[in-house]
Amino acid sequence: TYALAFEGGFTPASVLPDVPSHFPTAETGILYSPRNYDGRYRGPLLARRALAGSENVPAVALASQLGVPRLLRFLGRSGLSTFDQNASFYGLGVTLGNAEVRLDELVAAYAAFARAGRWVKPTWRQTGGTGDGPEHPLVSPRTAFWISDILSDAEARAYIFGQGGHLEFPFPVAVKTGTSQAYHDNWTIGYTRAVTVGVWVGNFDRRPLRDSTGMTGAGPIFHAVMLAAVARGTPAGH
């Protein structure tokens, strides 16, 4: 959502509303009222802080301005193949993750930011592939830089995540966490210029996790894998 907005004239310095908000839905008389993970509202927020802190309300407000059909088309260009319903089915909640995605496709989408905006179809080593697959420009190098700069800014996310912990490294890493509603699963995705790592934590039978979030569930695994990948000198782009 933020990448699409940056392509359309928004910047990390754009001000977004983090206030109680109500948005119309496809059902007459039914409004969507998003809440932040901690239940708090922080008033006007710079896009940099809103994205770095994973605040829900500003993201929904931004998606409302962009329009869900436009956002879905962008997600399709990002290689996400599982959006098989129309815009009214998903609504604005799509920006918060109310639709299922594949881990490999989500990792490839984030890797585009590490490649200065170029999306490359992932290749599975087990099938004998040795080179990169088809590719196309996804966003401008400027947008890719802005997203990477924000997601690697420990100070910008400190007001939500605190300092230290599993999202910080002795080298620059752009990282984003996610926790699904009712704790069904959680994610941590991040990248350097050389490697992109994605971690999913959940139960295959969809039983909810117990108080496990992207920070406490996927986060520690992501931290260990990223350190190991960098230590091994993983070739750029894999």
Side-chain angles (χ1 to χ4, degrees):
T1 301
Y2 284 89
L4 181 59
F6 291 163
E7 289 288 278
F10 286 82
T11 76
S14 296
V15 178
L16 303 176
D18 190 7
V19 298
S21 305
H22 310 283
F23 301 90
T25 68
E27 298 183 50
T28 303
I30 303 297
L31 297 177
Y32 174 43
S33 304
R35 296 177 55 195
N36 292 319
Y37 183 77
D38 60 3
R40 298 175 57 189
Y41 301 95
R42 293 173 171 83
L45 271 183
L46 295 179
R48 168 178 287 275
R49 287 173 55 81
L51 173 56
S54 288
E55 290 288 78
N56 291 341
V57 177
V60 173
L62 194 55
S64 178
Q65 294 188 57
L66 297 172
V68 176
R70 184 180 173 196
L71 180 56
L72 288 176
R73 289 193 296 270
F74 180 72
L75 293 174
R77 294 200 307 274
S78 303
L80 303 181
S81 66
T82 51
F83 294 90
D84 54 3
Q85 302 292 331
N86 60 28
S88 62
F89 177 85
Y90 297 113
L92 293 171
V94 70
T95 192
L96 303 183
N98 68 357
E100 295 183 346
V101 296
R102 289 172 41 157
L103 178 60
D104 61 331
E105 293 179 348
L106 191 61
V107 169
Y110 271 84
F113 298 128
R115 292 188 173 98
R118 293 197 65 83
W119 177 87
V120 177
K121 184 177 181 179
T123 299
W124 292 94
R125 288 180 179 271
Q126 293 92 325
T127 60
T130 57
D132 290 329
E135 62 180 86
H136 61 253
L138 180 62
V139 296
S140 67
R142 182 179 69 176
T143 290
F145 171 78
W146 279 345
I147 293 291
S148 301
D149 186 59
I150 292 170
L151 295 183
S152 60
D153 188 345
E155 292 185 8
R157 63 172 174 257
Y159 75 104
I160 294 293
F161 295 101
Q163 294 183 320
H166 302 298
L167 302 187
E168 295 189 20
F169 294 83
F171 45 84
V173 176
V175 58
K176 183 77 175 65
T177 66
T179 304
S180 66
Q181 189 174 13
Y183 297 96
H184 280 291
D185 52 16
N186 56 74
W187 309 68
T188 300
I189 313 285
Y191 56 91
T192 67
R193 296 183 66 177
V195 60
T196 301
V197 172
V199 176
W200 174 88
V201 169
N203 293 308
F204 290 124
D205 61 5
R206 293 191 57 77
R207 282 182 296 112
L209 303 170
R210 291 189 176 183
D211 299 323
S212 177
T213 69
M215 278 289 292
T216 61
I221 303 171
F222 170 84
H223 190 91
V225 173
M226 178 61 79
L227 288 176
V230 172
R232 289 180 58 186
T234 303
H238 292 83

